[in-house]
Amino acid sequence: MKIQITPERYVAVDDYFNSLLLADDTIPAKVLAHCEAHAMPAIQVAPNQGKLLNLLVRLKGAKRILELGTLGAYSTVWMALGMGPDGRLLTLDFDENYVRVARESLRIAAVDDRVEIRLGRAADLMQALIDEGAAPFDFIFMDADKENNPRYLELALKLSAPGTVIVADNVVRQGQILDAHSEGSNIKGLRRFFDDMAGNERLSATAFQTVGSKGWDGLLIAIVNG
Ligand SMILES: C[S@@+](CC[C@H](N)C(=O)[O-])C[C@H]1O[C@@H](n2cnc3c(N)ncnc32)[C@H](O)[C@@H]1O
């Protein structure tokens, strides 16, 4: 039998896995429904990627998490549920309307006691954390504008310690990452980000492609070396 590889088939495989493996994850599902009801752009992580973040947080035993790019707090909630009640998560976004929806998401998920949202430009807020001598984070999820990823990496390293895990979303962008001559600011930013990763002895990293409901994209996962 010749198997047809189609976008629909990738989505069907995700649906199959999610129906079995995410069936008990009812809280993030409620948060996603809340985001959809408020017409948030559907640019949040896919459910199986949210679960991956949750598992990575648990594998790491992360108790201090920084997120760049909150949107409706869907990924935030997945990570907050993974770190448990004694963890603290700080998430940054510059869009007041998104933050309003996100605050409600945190209440729906009952994690508002352990998650703080700061409103502003991610780079400015990260610099403020450095200036105030914030303790290192043990997990950093980069999911704001990709144009500034090189700057975010530089700042993230100042907010890290050996063992800090850094995850970055949307690093494939339908394969556009291969376009060395792209004029797109996001692709330029991502390509510089990969160059900076590659040339940095403090980091060990890998990246992989994802397909499914979010199209063809990918994640990068890195650890700060000891
Ligand atoms: C892809 S969405 C985040 C999705 C979210 N992490 C999730 O998976 O549920 C990107 C978010 O980054 C925010 N953003 C973009 N540029 C930013 C910047 N320079 N500073 C702060 N937030 C920014 C946008 O407002 C948007 O909410």
Side-chain angles (χ1 to χ4, degrees):
M1 183 179 81
K2 187 165 175 5
I3 300 204
Q4 283 286 336
I5 301 174
T6 61
E8 292 75 22
R9 205 165 168 85
Y10 287 131
V11 174
V13 170
D14 268 5
D15 289 347
Y16 168 68
F17 289 151
N18 294 351
S19 69
L20 294 170
L21 304 177
L22 276 63
D24 294 335
D25 296 296
T26 53
I27 295 175
K30 276 187 204 159
V31 168
L32 187 56
H34 164 73
C35 292
E36 284 166 359
H38 286 79
M40 301 292 280
I43 52 172
Q44 71 283 339
V45 294
N48 54 357
Q49 294 163 359
K51 183 74 176 263
L52 175 67
L53 289 171
N54 174 280
L55 294 174
L56 288 173
V57 163
R58 288 163 66 184
L59 283 165
K60 165 71 186 158
K63 296 291 170 199
R64 257 181 78 72
I65 301 177
L66 175 65
E67 178 182 52
L68 319 182
T70 317
L71 192 68
Y74 180 61
S75 53
T76 318
V77 163
W78 274 112
M79 291 187 285
L81 293 172
M83 72 185 182
D86 54 337
R88 291 291 172 265
L89 190 156
L90 175 61
T91 180
L92 318 176
D93 206 293
F94 66 2
D95 188 302
E96 251 178 82
N97 293 324
Y98 294 167
V99 166
R100 205 169 305 121
V101 176
R103 290 197 202 287
E104 190 56 31
S105 295
L106 301 181
R107 280 191 284 274
I108 291 168
V111 294
D112 48 324
D113 58 338
R114 67 198 82 153
V115 178
E116 183 191 346
I117 304 177
R118 286 193 191 167
L119 182 66
R121 299 184 67 80
D124 297 345
L125 295 172
M126 291 173 86
Q127 186 59 56
L129 284 167
I130 294 163
D131 294 345
E132 73 197 34
F137 291 88
D138 39 26
F139 195 98
I140 301 178
F141 179 45
M142 295 176 45
D143 195 19
D145 58 306
K146 317 308 170 199
E147 175 181 0
N148 284 311
N149 266 16
R151 176 79 180 131
Y152 296 149
L153 179 61
E154 199 183 313
L155 295 165
L157 283 170
K158 293 184 181 165
L159 292 164
S160 297
T164 297
V165 173
I166 298 176
V167 178
D169 195 16
N170 306 123
V171 299
V172 173
R173 306 188 82 87
Q174 317 293 335
Q176 291 178 80
I177 189 65
L178 292 179
D179 185 358
H181 304 292
S182 173
E183 288 302 317
S185 54
N186 283 329
I187 300 302
K188 280 187 184 170
L190 280 170
R191 287 184 64 92
R192 255 193 59 212
F193 172 66
F194 273 100
D195 287 344
D196 294 349
M197 277 271 167
N200 196 320
E201 286 180 356
R202 281 189 72 197
L203 290 161
S204 295
T206 189
F208 52 90
Q209 303 174 58
T210 56
V211 288
S213 57
K214 298 288 169 185
W216 178 24
D217 217 322
L219 286 169
L220 172 140
I221 301 182
I223 190 163
V224 177
N225 295 321

